[in-house]
Amino acid sequence: MTLQKLFPVSFRDRSVTGLVVAIVIYVVVGAIAGILLGLVGTIAGWIPVVGTIVGVVLGIVGAVVDIYCLIGLALSILYFLKVVDK
């Protein structure tokens, strides 16, 4: 599996506009995912035992989404600077 298949937004365009669009997409996806996971975690936290398990799972999912967005941002910048190629 190539990086282009895992991070398609990072390899779209090598212009400044493409870089800005990729950065905005990754930041918005990370923010919306964090808000939604936090909301679901808060709602599930009211349930005594299940809330703890759901909270741990949502924490792991949130960390994976954050890492994906961070790597996507880094790849977008590196592709723009011509350090990484398709």
Side-chain angles (χ1 to χ4, degrees):
M1 180 150 285
T2 63
L3 286 176
Q4 188 175 5
K5 288 183 182 178
L6 287 173
F7 301 95
V9 176
S10 297
F11 296 99
R12 287 178 47 170
D13 192 12
R14 204 171 244 165
S15 65
V16 175
T17 306
L19 176 65
V20 171
V21 167
I23 290 172
V24 168
I25 288 173
Y26 282 120
V27 168
V28 168
V29 165
I32 290 175
I35 290 170
L36 289 176
L37 290 173
L39 183 65
V40 171
T42 301
I43 292 170
W46 294 337
I47 305 170
V49 175
V50 177
T52 306
I53 296 169
V54 170
V56 169
V57 170
L58 290 176
I60 293 170
V61 170
V64 169
V65 170
D66 288 343
I67 291 170
Y68 178 83
C69 290
L70 183 65
I71 292 172
L73 280 169
L75 282 174
S76 296
I77 294 169
L78 291 174
Y79 182 69
F80 176 74
L81 296 174
K82 299 179 183 175
V83 175
V84 176
D85 200 17
K86 289 184 181 181

